[in-house]
Amino acid sequence: MKRWYIVIAILVLATITVFAMPSIAFAVPYSTETIGPEGSVVPTQTAYSPVGKIDIPSVSADKKASPEDMAIDESAGLVYVADSAAKYVAVLTLDGELRQVIGAGTLSTPSGVAIDNERLFVADSGNNKIYVYSKDGYELIREIGKPDNPLVGADTPFVPAKLTVDSRGNLYVVSTGCASGLMQLNLDGEFIGYVGANETQATFQSLLQNLFFSEEQKSTFLAAPRSPTNVAINDRGLIYTVTETASRNSVKKLNTLGNAIMSPAVNYPKTVAVTIDESENIYSVDSDGYIAVFDSYGDLLFRFGGEDIDERLGSLDTPVAIDVLSDGTLIALDKKYGMAVRYGRTEFADKVFEAVKYYKDGLYLEGERMWKDILQLNSSFIVSYKALARASMKRGDYETALQQFKLAEDKEGYSEAYWEIRNDWLQRNIAWIVSVILVIVAAVVVWKILNKKKPKLLQPVKNGVSKVTNSRVVRELLYTKNYFKSAPDAVYQTKYHSATSVWSAAALYVWFVILQLLNVLVTGYLFNNNSVYNSNALRIVLTSTAILFALVLCNYFVSTVTDGEGKLKYCFITFIYALAPYLILALPMFVISRFLTYNEQIIYDLMMIIVYGWSAVCVFRTIMELHDYTFWQAIKNIILTLFAFVMAILFVIVLRMLLTQFFGYFASLFREIFTHA
Amino acid sequence: MRKKLIFLLLCIVVACSVTLGVVFADDPAVNPDEEGGVAAEIYTLDVGGAKLSVNTQNLNMSVTKGGRTWYSGNRHVSESGEIDDGWEIDSFNGAMVTDGLTITYRNANSLNKIPRTAAITELADEPVRDFKKRDDGFDAKIRLAGNIGISFTLQVRFDGNVIKATIPDSSIVESSPDMRLEQISLFPYFDSSFNQTEGQIFIPDGSGALIDLSIRSNATKDYSQRIYGDDYGLTTPSARANQPKRATMPVIATMYPDGGTVVTVTGGAEYAKANASVSGIGQDPYNRANFTFIYREPYTRYYDDSGDPAKSSYELQADRNVFDAQVTYTLMDEGVNIADVAKVYRDMLDINQKDISTVGLRLQFLMAENKESMFGRQTVKMTTPEYVLNVAKEVSYYCDGLSVSLTGYQRNGLGGADPSVFPMAGKSSYRKLGEDLNNMDVPMSFAVDYVRLHDMASVSNSRLLQNISEQFVTLADTRAGSGVTFRLIKPSYTEQLLRSDVNKLSGFYAGIDAANIGAMLFSGYKSEVFSRSDLIADSVRLIGDVQLPVALSNPNDYMFGVIDSYIDTPIEYSSYLIETESVPFLQMVLGGSIPMYSEALNLDYTGQTLVLKLIDSNVYPSFILTDEDPIELYGTDSQCIFTSSFGVWNYKVRDTYEQVSNVLREVVGQQIVRRDKVADNVYVNTYSNGVKTVVNYSANPITYQGALIEAMSAAAVR
């Protein structure tokens, strides 16, 4: 009887507090972002604007609601809100009118709510129970406590915080402090198993512990994986878990076996809740008040919201739940203000979602017009280029697809398009290619025949070549091939017969630096990890020069204290000559990379390994010969050189910091004296 | 017996005389005892049928006119300290809601430096030391208790309809070596109402906002905004995107079914703060709106340029802001409408009356930008003068109110803009463009910013503004994805640049679109010392001297007398939780006088709602355009311009203009004299020529005075 008084009192209070939602979009207090070129965050047209709010009725005149979770029954036009301050579940219409309260007098801390066609499930973390109510009449059907099953674990806590339910009535329960994952229960509350457990994240510290600690010691350091903090389910019954504070994969999509099969491409560690629409687009909200929208592949479409400082409608202070209606309207529940904010989709977002649906269904050509429209509204909308590239591929317009894949930064797609273009080019020009090869072969054969039969005929050419190669500069530069073949002999010649000079070495240092620039400019897109836009030539020149000289100096200083024989001059000369394989082969490799696709990646990678490996061997043998070291002495010298190099860098950093502090200290001291004098 | 009766009558007569003598004493000063305060009495004054009553001890005031009484403070507290509605109140809060003045002061030398805010009767037993009655009001000298040592005079003048309350700066005395005056709130509860009630409060947020008092608010904070924005000479600018709108007009209003009040700051607005609160926020059950004057501001003093809080101290501004604080209360009769409030405020302003004959359309063209490349910065050409001319020709076919604005015309594009903005790339081609556009009657202007300087631009440090901590003032471009920073320059350099450019512009047939002049208000402390008041005077003089057409971007109200057009006009409010409705108040004030153009619409084109808001606000559309695809802007400082090709926006430009023009051409040059909400999401603005614009934001068609207005559309009704 007492319960009815409470209900009536609440309903009376609600009639005062509820008001209708206006449909005019309110001013948007946030910017909307999407992923732009090179993974950057770029602004975009507003995708969602706040269109109203649903007030959760206050508990009393001076006590606001404290909503924890919500479930929306769109067909009935109802929202179920678990309110921990009021200790009941409020049933409201989508317009905010309070219809009913459930569990008043029974529930202690309702923190999670879920619905299926017939039932309402409430997770009560205060009573450590799940309450099941019928949706018609809201009668309590069942109370589910901790499952009596040895697999649950006697010490495992049962504190149901959030839950969801699938079409068969199986419950997936987030139990606070349970590291084994979600508890899967059947409708009778019987334990089925754990799903979606997180893995312990390996840290450098844990790796060291695993390496050096005994089993007994390790057992004291065993870190339990984080337990999921929220859960959602899509129309196909696939579960999505949320783990707040996870440094990666905060949101995970599980397959029917409970294994993670997908996570959004961008991780937002503060994610608190997630929901999925019928097209499997993912909507998440984080504790900073940001709402992120991903397509079903996990690509970020939009992110908006942000820290609520000014109390503006649309900003969220303490978001706890998010849901999406069939018309795309988002509803985010804010605990602090005791209200749910409604976000309406703009025309721009409507276009994006429609286009995404075509893309997901593989209807690339059908969606092409829409993606072009989207690009007109935001030329940096990278996802569009990806979709347009697929459409171009399907149309056989590989040239366009190539450009679009590049803009989309989809290297796999770029490789596919390039393979098609190259294949087509080869087919069209095979006759020319064979002819050119034949001409070259014929020229070589003719040269050899003439050289044998009529050597005088070629003598002028030979003399010309010989004149060039015998000049000192060219001769010294060409001496790199000797390092290529046998580094110790070449070092010997350098040390004792002046086969090379400081000037030729300096020229090679310059070439090395130029190669760093050419690496950015010439290397093919697929194999180039540097962006021309983000690279600065001066920075590259200064960095590579500084590194080279620091290494030479470090090596010299280390060798002087480890009985090395090399003088600074020879350290300077031989170090760069020892890089002969790189100096000679790098540019051809950069050029070759322009003609390769990912199908030939292994060839490229192998070649580069050979180039770097060969250079390393040459450097090693050069150090051995230059300083007259044994094998192990050389190893020691190299390790010490690298150590000295790192120390030198640290020294520069520390010196810079000290100088900044030094001058900053006196500047602030004087300013303080003058201020307070 | 007879003697006894006579004695009794004499006693009664004496008692009555004494009582009446106290109440109606006509002495210039009541108990002018310097050592003691003024004994409490109610002083009343009849002016033009209105009666002003004031409690001479706490300055609680009321005005009765035409059957309605305006109370300056609480009228509900009973002698037992209980409010009619049962709200328990202690003496401290009781004084806050009753007294005419609330003071904030602090001990500037104490370590914690916590300010104290209290009503005057809480700060002194008898705070009013000298109460002088006048035929048109009163003067009250307020002196706070000895250890506080702050005194000043409040002058109140009443003409039967308008109350002016003034605190002359010359009257303020701070005799204590420690205590410093920080803020004064004048009549903080004037025309307040108790608990939820019918009525509205107007606040100057963005274009203007209303708070419907009948709606329970989810807000937990009051509205409190500094008029004309923060002072970056004292406070660090925020780097947040989408910051709340600035309060550019020092006006608030209360509107109830039986009347209301328009409260305007008519002196010292640059040091005023507008406040509004509604019942349900915190413990205060009052709906109220008022102004607070800031005499000193706390700030963080940094001891080096790192901005490290560990090397800083919390300080109070040493010198008091010098100004005569004045608030004008205009009493409004029954049925007060927001348009009436706008009229009261408009009549107080100096507005440059322009002849508006057509519905305008402003196209801003980004000519070039500047991008970092591997081998240094390179200029990215986005639009040519020839292209601008071609677009102007095309648009002129359907628009007779076109104006063209150019930005990024400098040699290095917008991002590499030098502070001396002219010369520009291809000077002769711009001169020719100006000539050609002039021949087509299309005004051209160059967008300039003489206040904010791009971080990349080279300029002597002596020309940069330093704040009170002697740090250069840096501002982040708050548009998302921008990542650009600016520095503020000193007003003297601003003036030098503007005057120089105005000379250079002769022969270009061009005007100036200036950003931040008259909008960003700050004070200077290093080498060039000036106050916010000084900067206001300088800005008005500077722009007033310019003989070219000048448009200012979202300026403060003190510039309304010198501008030719208003650009980047806000058509929205900040959408604070406390607010319930956006209202085109700014447009009601300036409409028909100064043409107003929106911000560039293409960067946030939210569809038909946006078009309707333009019509509802009487604001003309504006777009930012380029010839090249804006993907070229990626990596530049303008990469936040993500859609701008005229080829893409051509149709939308035309469609938007035609929709706006079809309605607003009926009210060109007219003022809004009334605004009504005739149904949910349907608004009617009545203009001075009698034409009404009906804007239907709803999803259903409506019929208004026989005219059918389709869903999400607008019409002019005669």
Side-chain angles (χ1 to χ4, degrees):
Chain A
M1 194 63 190
K2 190 183 171 188
R3 209 179 290 176
W4 284 109
Y5 283 119
I6 298 169
V7 172
I8 290 165
I10 291 160
L11 287 171
V12 168
L13 190 64
T15 56
I16 302 166
T17 56
V18 169
F19 64 97
M21 295 166 294
S23 63
I24 306 174
F26 288 83
V28 181
Y30 46 73
S31 303
T32 304
E33 302 165 346
T34 188
I35 291 293
E38 297 168 334
S40 61
V41 174
V42 293
T44 189
Q45 303 272 7
T46 299
Y48 288 85
S49 50
V51 291
K53 56 177 182 166
I54 302 170
D55 269 352
I56 314 304
S58 293
V59 183
S60 60
D62 57 353
K63 190 175 180 186
K64 280 191 173 175
S66 184
E68 302 283 350
D69 198 9
M70 69 177 171
I72 296 179
D73 184 348
E74 200 177 347
S75 58
L78 296 175
V79 191
Y80 299 89
V81 179
D83 185 343
S84 60
K87 300 179 190 296
Y88 58 63
V89 172
V91 186
L92 301 122
T93 65
L94 283 168
D95 292 331
E97 184 190 338
L98 183 69
R99 285 283 174 82
Q100 177 73 279
V101 297
I102 305 168
T106 305
L107 299 173
S108 167
T109 312
S111 53
V113 62
I115 50 169
D116 67 6
N117 289 336
E118 298 161 12
R119 290 162 292 256
L120 168 74
F121 304 87
V122 184
D124 188 332
S125 55
N127 289 340
N128 295 343
K129 281 183 181 171
I130 295 167
Y131 294 88
V132 185
Y133 294 89
S134 66
K135 272 169 69 181
D136 52 341
Y138 303 116
E139 292 299 324
L140 181 63
I141 303 171
R142 189 173 296 119
E143 292 180 17
I144 300 173
K146 184 177 177 181
D148 183 19
N149 187 316
L151 292 175
V152 173
D155 298 331
T156 305
F158 184 70
V159 187
K162 305 286 175 193
L163 77 174
T164 192
V165 59
D166 68 16
S167 55
R168 291 163 296 168
N170 290 326
L171 292 170
Y172 299 85
V173 183
V174 172
S175 177
T176 306
C178 177
S180 304
L182 303 173
M183 278 186 183
Q184 189 180 0
L185 311 174
N186 67 17
L187 201 51
D188 296 325
E190 290 165 352
F191 181 72
I192 299 173
Y194 285 111
V195 293
N198 288 314
E199 293 165 359
T200 313
Q201 288 176 7
T203 60
F204 182 67
Q205 187 187 356
S206 64
L207 284 175
L208 289 178
Q209 284 171 352
N210 278 333
L211 207 60
F212 298 111
F213 283 20
S214 67
E215 287 302 318
E216 193 180 345
Q217 284 173 315
K218 276 187 214 172
S219 65
T220 61
F221 289 100
L222 272 181
R226 289 191 172 92
S227 45
T229 50
N230 212 331
V231 62
I233 193 165
N234 71 10
D235 290 351
R236 288 165 54 206
L238 296 179
I239 300 291
Y240 292 70
T241 62
V242 177
T243 309
E244 199 180 348
T245 71
S247 57
R248 56 192 167 89
N249 301 340
S250 293
V251 176
K252 286 180 185 170
K253 179 182 180 182
L254 310 181
N255 61 13
T256 47
L257 297 173
N259 299 321
I261 52 172
M262 193 276 283
S263 283
V266 187
N267 184 54
Y268 296 113
K270 294 183 178 177
T271 301
V272 291
V274 71
T275 190
I276 300 94
D277 69 13
E278 56 190 9
S279 301
E280 298 192 49
N281 298 307
I282 305 163
Y283 306 80
S284 71
V285 64
D286 68 29
S287 56
D288 282 341
Y290 283 101
I291 293 176
V293 182
F294 304 90
D295 65 16
S296 56
Y297 301 101
D299 287 325
L300 181 71
L301 298 176
F302 310 113
R303 188 172 185 240
F304 60 94
E307 208 178 350
D308 173 59
I309 293 173
D310 307 304
E311 291 201 347
R312 295 161 74 186
L313 186 69
S315 298
L316 300 167
D317 185 276
T318 315
V320 288
I322 187 167
D323 216 328
V324 60
L325 304 182
S326 55
D327 67 352
T329 301
L330 279 176
I331 299 182
L333 189 63
D334 192 313
K335 185 174 176 174
K336 178 182 172 186
Y337 299 121
M339 68 179 187
V341 182
R342 294 166 59 107
Y343 298 89
R345 261 184 4 198
T346 61
E347 289 174 19
F348 176 65
D350 282 341
K351 275 187 181 160
V352 171
F353 279 104
E354 199 173 347
V356 163
K357 198 165 187 305
Y358 277 111
Y359 184 76
K360 188 185 167 222
D361 295 342
L363 302 169
Y364 303 128
L365 290 173
E366 290 79 354
E368 192 174 16
R369 183 63 253 161
M370 257 167 265
W371 285 115
K372 282 185 175 168
D373 286 351
I374 291 161
L375 273 184
Q376 289 184 347
L377 291 169
N378 186 347
S379 58
S380 304
F381 206 83
I382 289 302
V383 180
S384 305
Y385 291 111
K386 203 170 175 178
L388 286 172
R390 287 284 160 211
S392 300
M393 285 288 280
K394 202 159 186 179
R395 244 192 356 261
D397 183 358
Y398 303 116
E399 291 284 353
T400 307
L402 192 77
Q403 296 306 317
Q404 288 163 335
F405 275 126
K406 193 170 183 182
L407 285 165
E409 286 158 8
D410 182 345
K411 289 196 171 183
E412 294 285 344
Y414 184 93
S415 177
E416 284 174 41
Y418 188 69
W419 191 92
E420 296 286 354
I421 292 167
R422 193 184 61 182
N423 190 39
D424 180 54
W425 187 86
L426 285 172
Q427 283 180 7
R428 280 189 285 110
N429 296 286
I430 191 70
W432 283 102
I433 294 164
V434 172
S435 304
V436 168
I437 292 170
L438 287 176
V439 166
I440 292 167
V441 170
V444 171
V445 170
V446 168
W447 175 273
K448 284 194 171 174
I449 291 169
L450 285 176
N451 196 27
K452 200 172 178 183
K453 302 261 171 105
K454 301 209 171 190
K456 284 185 182 174
L457 202 65
L458 299 174
Q459 200 55 44
V461 180
K462 284 182 180 177
N463 288 344
V465 171
S466 153
K467 200 176 174 184
V468 172
T469 52
N470 282 337
S471 71
R472 192 182 163 196
V473 176
V474 177
R475 191 182 68 239
E476 286 185 4
L477 289 175
L478 290 177
Y479 199 74
T480 45
K481 70 177 185 294
N482 296 59
Y483 278 82
F484 213 90
K485 291 174 190 167
S486 172
D489 292 344
V491 172
Y492 180 83
Q493 291 296 325
T494 300
K495 267 173 85 175
Y496 300 110
H497 299 288
S498 300
T500 56
S501 66
V502 171
W503 294 111
S504 60
L508 290 180
Y509 277 105
V510 172
W511 175 240
F512 181 90
V513 173
I514 291 171
L515 277 177
Q516 305 313 304
L517 296 174
L518 291 175
N519 182 24
V520 178
L521 293 169
V522 178
T523 305
Y525 172 68
L526 292 175
F527 301 94
N528 197 341
N529 296 322
N530 304 294
S531 158
V532 176
Y533 299 111
N534 291 337
S535 303
N536 180 287
L538 188 64
R539 198 182 306 129
I540 291 171
V541 169
L542 291 176
T543 311
S544 50
T545 308
I547 290 172
L548 280 176
F549 283 100
L551 280 171
V552 170
L553 281 173
C554 289
N555 182 256
Y556 170 70
F557 288 130
V558 167
S559 62
T560 55
V561 294
T562 52
D563 301 329
E565 290 183 357
K567 293 178 181 173
L568 179 60
K569 175 186 169 184
Y570 294 118
C571 284
F572 177 75
I573 296 171
T574 56
F575 182 76
I576 192 68
Y577 270 93
L579 294 174
Y582 178 78
L583 296 173
I584 294 167
L585 294 174
L587 183 58
M589 287 306 299
F590 297 159
V591 174
I592 288 168
S593 70
R594 297 182 76 89
F595 303 100
L596 302 179
T597 68
Y598 276 160
N599 294 342
E600 299 87 37
Q601 185 173 15
I602 186 135
I603 299 170
Y604 180 80
D605 289 346
L606 197 64
M607 293 287 285
M608 289 311 287
I609 287 168
I610 290 170
V611 170
Y612 290 128
W614 198 344
S615 300
V617 169
C618 286
V619 169
F620 180 76
R621 296 188 70 188
T622 297
I623 287 171
M624 269 182 76
E625 182 61 29
L626 179 67
H627 299 301
D628 198 17
Y629 283 149
T630 63
F631 178 84
W632 289 111
Q633 280 177 318
I635 293 281
K636 186 181 156 191
N637 177 276
I638 288 170
I639 291 171
L640 287 174
T641 299
L642 292 175
F643 179 74
F645 177 71
V646 172
M647 286 299 113
I649 292 171
L650 285 176
F651 173 75
V652 170
I653 293 169
V654 170
L655 185 69
R656 187 173 174 275
M657 280 167 58
L658 283 174
L659 286 174
T660 311
Q661 293 270 332
F662 179 77
F663 290 114
Y665 171 75
F666 282 103
S668 55
L669 183 70
F670 285 122
R671 197 177 285 182
E672 196 165 350
I673 289 168
F674 286 124
T675 303
H676 290 290
Chain B
M1 188 65 188
R2 196 173 168 187
K3 279 181 183 174
K4 279 183 182 174
L5 269 173
I6 291 168
F7 179 74
L8 190 63
L9 278 170
L10 274 171
C11 286
I12 290 167
V13 168
V14 168
C16 287
S17 330
V18 169
T19 309
L20 290 171
V22 170
V23 175
F24 298 111
D26 204 20
D27 294 342
V30 178
N31 290 348
D33 176 7
E34 282 303 308
E35 295 307 312
V38 176
E41 67 154 301
I42 305 297
Y43 166 57
T44 57
L45 177 71
D46 288 313
V47 181
K51 189 170 84 174
L52 173 82
S53 304
V54 59
N55 181 316
T56 57
Q57 191 174 41
N58 61 15
L59 301 180
N60 184 302
M61 195 166 67
S62 65
V63 178
T64 305
K65 189 187 113 184
R68 184 182 193 268
T69 303
W70 284 258
Y71 296 93
S72 80
N74 171 40
R75 58 186 183 275
H76 299 279
V77 180
S78 65
E79 283 186 5
S80 63
E82 189 176 288
I83 286 193
D84 298 351
D85 299 47
W87 186 53
E88 291 291 338
I89 191 166
D90 57 26
S91 68
F92 181 85
N93 287 309
M96 289 277 268
V97 299
T98 306
D99 290 6
L101 292 162
T102 300
I103 315 287
T104 302
Y105 68 94
R106 76 170 86 196
N107 184 337
N109 294 321
S110 79
L111 284 175
N112 54 15
K113 294 173 186 169
I114 293 170
R116 183 168 187 235
T117 301
I120 48 173
T121 53
E122 282 293 305
L123 297 173
D125 289 339
E126 292 168 334
V128 179
R129 315 298 291 190
D130 186 2
F131 189 91
K132 287 184 180 161
K133 296 175 181 175
R134 292 172 53 104
D135 292 342
D136 58 350
F138 63 87
D139 292 351
K141 184 171 182 183
I142 290 115
R143 200 173 80 186
L144 305 182
N147 65 325
I148 301 174
I150 295 170
S151 64
F152 56 87
T153 301
L154 171 69
Q155 300 171 343
V156 173
R157 304 290 178 265
F158 179 55
D159 69 0
N161 192 49
V162 173
I163 303 167
K164 276 188 198 294
T166 311
I167 300 175
D169 184 75
S170 56
S171 73
I172 302 173
V173 176
E174 294 166 295
S175 55
S176 162
D178 301 325
M179 297 301 177
R180 290 290 170 264
L181 176 63
E182 202 167 315
Q183 296 182 1
I184 297 178
S185 293
L186 274 172
F187 301 110
Y189 283 77
F190 195 94
D191 207 16
S192 59
S193 55
F194 188 76
N195 258 336
Q196 281 183 235
T197 185
E198 290 298 310
Q200 294 171 318
I201 290 176
F202 165 76
I203 51 177
D205 175 32
S207 65
L210 293 176
I211 302 170
D212 189 330
L213 303 179
S214 64
I215 296 175
R216 187 183 70 103
S217 177
N218 295 88
T220 62
K221 285 183 193 168
D222 298 347
Y223 171 81
S224 184
Q225 283 295 310
R226 181 87 188 254
I227 298 295
Y228 307 147
D230 288 337
D231 182 352
Y232 295 148
L234 286 161
T235 58
T236 306
S238 166
R240 286 183 298 128
N242 277 45
Q243 290 182 35
K245 312 274 184 205
R246 204 171 72 254
T248 59
M249 302 169 285
V251 55
I252 51 179
T254 46
M255 291 174 283
Y256 303 103
D258 62 341
T261 311
V262 181
V263 188
T264 44
V265 179
T266 40
E270 60 273 27
Y271 297 108
K273 193 166 64 172
N275 311 302
S277 183
V278 292
S279 163
I281 296 180
Q283 296 299 311
D284 186 348
Y286 283 90
N287 307 300
R288 59 187 164 85
N290 70 298
F291 284 104
T292 298
F293 288 98
I294 300 166
Y295 285 90
R296 281 189 183 80
E297 210 168 337
Y299 67 95
T300 306
R301 172 173 283 282
Y302 294 97
Y303 292 104
D304 66 15
D305 296 332
S306 66
D308 181 0
K311 297 174 188 168
S312 68
S313 60
Y314 193 58
E315 303 283 340
L316 185 66
Q317 198 182 334
D319 298 324
R320 197 180 71 238
N321 296 322
V322 178
F323 61 98
D324 291 334
Q326 187 179 70
V327 179
T328 300
Y329 302 85
T330 307
L331 312 179
M332 306 299 286
D333 294 331
E334 187 180 355
V336 56
N337 185 277
I338 186 66
D340 303 326
V341 177
K343 185 177 183 316
V344 168
Y345 173 58
R346 185 170 59 227
D347 290 345
M348 293 179 180
L349 288 174
D350 171 24
I351 297 175
N352 190 11
Q353 191 67 40
K354 306 300 293 181
D355 181 24
I356 308 171
S357 55
T358 55
V359 175
L361 170 65
R362 179 171 176 263
L363 299 183
Q364 187 175 14
F365 290 90
L366 175 62
M367 309 305 287
E369 246 301 353
N370 193 284
K371 185 186 272 188
E372 186 82 50
S373 74
M374 196 168 163
F375 299 99
R377 296 191 80 83
Q378 65 180 51
T379 303
V380 183
K381 287 186 178 168
M382 297 301 295
T383 315
T384 61
E386 295 73 30
Y387 187 80
V388 174
L389 185 63
N390 289 337
V391 171
K393 283 177 181 168
E394 186 178 336
V395 174
S396 292
Y397 281 119
Y398 60 84
C399 170
D400 52 1
L402 175 66
S403 60
V404 164
S405 173
L406 307 178
T407 188
Y409 45 79
Q410 294 89 348
R411 197 160 282 150
N412 298 320
L414 185 61
D418 198 77
S420 48
V421 288
F422 303 105
M424 62 188 76
K427 205 171 177 179
S428 58
S429 57
Y430 284 104
R431 196 185 294 270
K432 185 172 180 313
L433 176 64
E435 273 178 28
D436 291 342
L437 289 175
N438 186 53
N439 292 335
M440 292 163 59
D441 273 341
V442 174
M444 180 178 90
S445 54
F446 289 99
V448 291
D449 189 345
Y450 299 117
V451 178
R452 268 183 349 171
L453 186 66
H454 195 282
D455 205 26
M456 296 292 292
S458 58
V459 67
S460 161
N461 279 354
S462 64
R463 287 173 164 164
L464 295 174
L465 183 81
Q466 283 176 279
N467 63 16
I468 199 164
S469 286
E470 297 179 20
Q471 291 181 310
F472 294 115
V473 181
T474 53
L475 298 158
D477 185 342
T478 52
R479 294 174 299 179
S482 169
V484 184
T485 54
F486 299 92
R487 289 168 292 172
L488 292 187
I489 54 181
K490 291 177 179 170
S492 58
Y493 190 44
T494 298
E495 180 164 355
Q496 185 185 325
L497 289 172
L498 175 62
R499 292 196 187 284
S500 163
D501 288 353
V502 167
N503 289 334
K504 289 175 193 166
L505 267 177
S506 63
F508 276 86
Y509 301 96
I512 283 177
D513 289 356
N516 294 314
I517 290 186
M520 205 177 280
L521 191 59
F522 44 84
S523 50
Y525 294 89
K526 177 77 176 171
S527 72
E528 196 167 310
V529 179
F530 60 94
S531 65
R532 276 164 76 99
S533 311
D534 297 334
L535 188 57
I536 288 176
D538 285 352
S539 304
V540 172
R541 176 183 50 79
L542 189 60
I543 297 298
D545 286 350
V546 174
Q547 296 303 311
L548 301 172
V550 176
L552 292 187
S553 169
N554 191 16
N556 297 322
D557 71 339
Y558 52 80
M559 302 303 290
F560 291 170
V562 290
I563 57 172
D564 296 292
S565 52
Y566 189 128
I567 54 176
D568 300 328
T569 313
I571 55 171
E572 282 283 6
Y573 60 164
S574 301
S575 204
Y576 292 111
L577 284 180
I578 194 174
E579 298 167 334
T580 50
E581 195 179 307
S582 172
V583 63
F585 182 83
L586 172 68
Q587 292 77 8
M588 290 176 184
V589 172
L590 292 183
S593 303
I594 294 173
M596 287 172 286
Y597 296 90
S598 70
E599 294 177 317
L601 300 177
N602 40 325
L603 299 183
D604 199 11
Y605 199 87
T606 46
Q608 188 63 13
T609 309
L610 187 64
V611 177
L612 295 183
K613 279 192 173 162
L614 290 177
I615 296 169
D616 198 13
S617 308
N618 194 9
V619 169
Y620 302 148
S622 182
F623 293 86
I624 185 159
L625 301 171
T626 56
D627 179 12
E628 300 294 332
D629 190 314
I631 191 73
E632 300 295 332
L633 292 171
Y634 178 71
T636 73
D637 293 343
S638 296
Q639 67 179 17
C640 48
I641 299 172
F642 46 78
T643 175
S644 58
S645 296
F646 180 69
V648 168
W649 282 94
N650 189 358
Y651 168 75
K652 285 278 187 197
V653 169
R654 181 171 188 157
D655 178 58
T656 305
Y657 178 75
E658 287 181 346
Q659 283 199 62
V660 171
S661 171
N662 283 343
V663 179
L664 293 186
R665 75 159 66 101
E666 302 289 336
V667 293
V668 165
Q670 304 298 316
Q671 289 175 343
I672 298 173
V673 293
R674 188 166 178 85
R675 178 176 173 81
D676 295 289
K677 183 177 182 178
V678 294
D680 272 355
N681 302 322
V682 183
Y683 293 88
V684 175
N685 290 334
T686 306
Y687 284 81
S688 46
N689 61 352
V691 175
K692 295 178 177 185
T693 58
V694 187
V695 180
N696 180 8
Y697 291 101
S698 75
N700 304 308
I702 60 138
T703 304
Y704 182 78
Q705 292 187 354
L708 177 72
I709 293 99
E710 295 292 345
M712 292 299 286
S713 68
V717 178
R718 285 190 177 273

